[in-house]
Amino acid sequence: MLESFLNQLNDASNSSANRVINKVAQPRKVAFVCNPKMGGSGIIATELAMALAERGHHVWLLAEKHPYSWRQVSETLYFLKLEVNDYPVFESAPHTLALAGALANLIEQQGIEIVHAHYAVPYAAAAVMAKQICKQPFQLVTTLHGTDVVKLADDPAMHRVIDTVLTQSQRVICVSDDLAQQTHQRFDLPIYPEVIANFVPPGKMFAGSRQQAREQLQLDQQGIYLIHASNFRKIKRIPDIIEAFALVRKDIDCQLILLGEGPEVEPCKALAKQLGVFDDVVWVGQEPNINRWFAAANVNLQLSDYESFGLTLIECMVQGVPTVANNVGGMPEVVSGTGKLVEVGDIEATAQSVMALIEEQNHSSAEVQQRCIDKANNHYTSEAVCIAHEAVYHGLLVTAAKTA
């Protein structure tokens, strides 16, 4: 449960916890497979791979290109480019088959002990296939980030694939209590999913103040800025954000910053023009230094149909920025105590919540910022997340050694 994870995090600084860390932090050989594009699951997977490598583990990340947030942080971190050949006989390139074969080769050549897949389909599915062709045994850990459970699993055929993949995973990890409960309800797993929250790596934070961020971005120091960052899919409900912004804009002189790219960008631009707020929106597009923008903002908006966790929630939180989020999925677990929750589709309540947070900051901006920063530092650190994963890896390998 997430509560158990948070308790472990809060204990991580005492001496007994340090003894546990020393016991489980033996160098391991781990292969990561994930989506390399901009998106929460790929960013978290890549950052976790890098953090584990910095702690001395040998970590390979296998993908068709360097992931969005990749940095060569350690000599024990390796990137292996996945080559997917396009054959005329197929409608599309056989990505999953190529990944399975490349994984099997990597496992045999490097003695990989753990394959850590982020998403059941296609990444853990490829690892299950690799088990069938690989001459060396390995442990499969599958982290679920939400989409494969709450969206893909609605397809009966895909449900059977995901169920098989999760059943054949030695451990399933979910990023929130809500996602763990949904996974448990939808699939017949032999073990209840482990809950390990997401985190913000120290190197990804903007180290300066809101004033410094605005100076670098050439934003008005006295301005009020709302912000949203995503891959602009329909599930993110960005039209709701624009409509709520238009309501807030009637009462408060403010601007909306939108970061990211995706299929909903052009429809959102059309809506902004229709509502007369197009010129009040800062259309940033894809931006590698995203946390500088978060640091410059007053309020974050996350109005998705569903988020198992919502990485941008803590990316903003660590910069002292509160969030207005929909009361669904794992977002209430994250936002509680720092921001405000609204029901899906309630544009009026969203606008009122945004204005309430702005008013609160007008009275005591420092207090609002510190409340967010304290929760981020107490609940979502990379060290605690690494320790939790090391414990999972260690437990699996000890069990496997006993049964060998």
Side-chain angles (χ1 to χ4, degrees), residues 288-301:
N289 298 318
I290 195 169
N291 286 284
R292 183 172 57 170
W293 290 93
F294 289 147
N298 297 87
V299 178
N300 177 46
L301 285 163

Side-chain angles (χ1 to χ4, degrees), residues 117-170:
H118 288 256
Y119 274 139
V121 177
Y123 304 108
V128 168
M129 191 178 300
K131 277 181 173 287
Q132 308 303 313
I133 59 178
C134 190
K135 298 177 181 178
Q136 177 177 311
F138 63 88
Q139 303 298 301
L140 173 59
V141 175
T142 299
T143 291
L144 299 175
H145 294 268
T147 302
D148 31 16
V149 173
V150 300
K151 291 295 182 182
L152 293 180
D154 289 340
D155 180 336
M158 193 63 74
H159 187 282
R160 293 195 66 183
V161 173
I162 296 172
D163 186 60
T164 299
V165 166
L166 297 183
T167 301
Q168 295 192 34
S169 299
Q170 277 66 57

Side-chain angles (χ1 to χ4, degrees), residues 228-231 233-238 240-241 301-308 310 312-313 324-329 331 342-345:
H228 170 80
S230 72
N231 51 18
R233 292 180 295 145
K234 284 191 175 181
I235 193 174
K236 302 298 181 180
R237 299 184 69 95
I238 301 166
D240 287 6
I241 292 173
L301 285 163
Q302 185 61 267
L303 303 179
S304 304
D305 279 322
Y306 179 84
E307 293 282 351
S308 60
T312 60
L313 305 182
V324 176
N326 279 343
N327 189 24
V328 292
M331 290 193 288
V342 296
E343 298 307 315
V344 176

Side-chain angles (χ1 to χ4, degrees), residues 225-229 256-259 293-294 297 299-301 316 321:
Y225 294 95
L226 315 185
I227 196 165
H228 170 80
L256 172 63
I257 299 168
L258 292 178
L259 299 108
W293 290 93
F294 289 147
V299 178
N300 177 46
L301 285 163
C316 286
V321 178

Side-chain angles (χ1 to χ4, degrees), residues 174-250:
C174 293
V175 296
S176 67
D177 281 331
D178 178 82
L179 184 58
Q181 291 165 9
Q182 290 210 41
T183 303
H184 178 68
Q185 291 167 3
R186 294 183 179 219
F187 301 99
D188 186 23
L189 303 183
I191 302 175
Y192 192 87
E194 193 100 16
V195 178
I196 303 178
N198 288 335
F199 66 100
V200 178
K204 299 288 284 187
M205 302 172 195
F206 180 74
S209 65
R210 175 179 293 170
Q211 289 73 22
Q212 290 170 319
R214 291 186 175 188
E215 182 178 350
Q216 291 183 18
L217 296 168
Q218 299 183 332
L219 299 176
D220 181 2
Q221 289 290 351
Q222 305 306 316
I224 295 174
Y225 294 95
L226 315 185
I227 196 165
H228 170 80
S230 72
N231 51 18
F232 279 71
R233 292 180 295 145
K234 284 191 175 181
I235 193 174
K236 302 298 181 180
R237 299 184 69 95
I238 301 166
D240 287 6
I241 292 173
I242 295 174
E243 289 183 27
F245 167 65
L247 289 180
V248 174
R249 188 73 179 77
K250 290 179 180 179

Side-chain angles (χ1 to χ4, degrees), residues 336-359:
S336 176
T338 63
K340 293 187 179 297
L341 297 169
V342 296
E343 298 307 315
V344 176
D346 194 336
I347 307 301
E348 181 67 35
T350 300
Q352 292 297 324
S353 295
V354 168
M355 289 189 284
L357 286 174
I358 291 172
E359 180 65 20

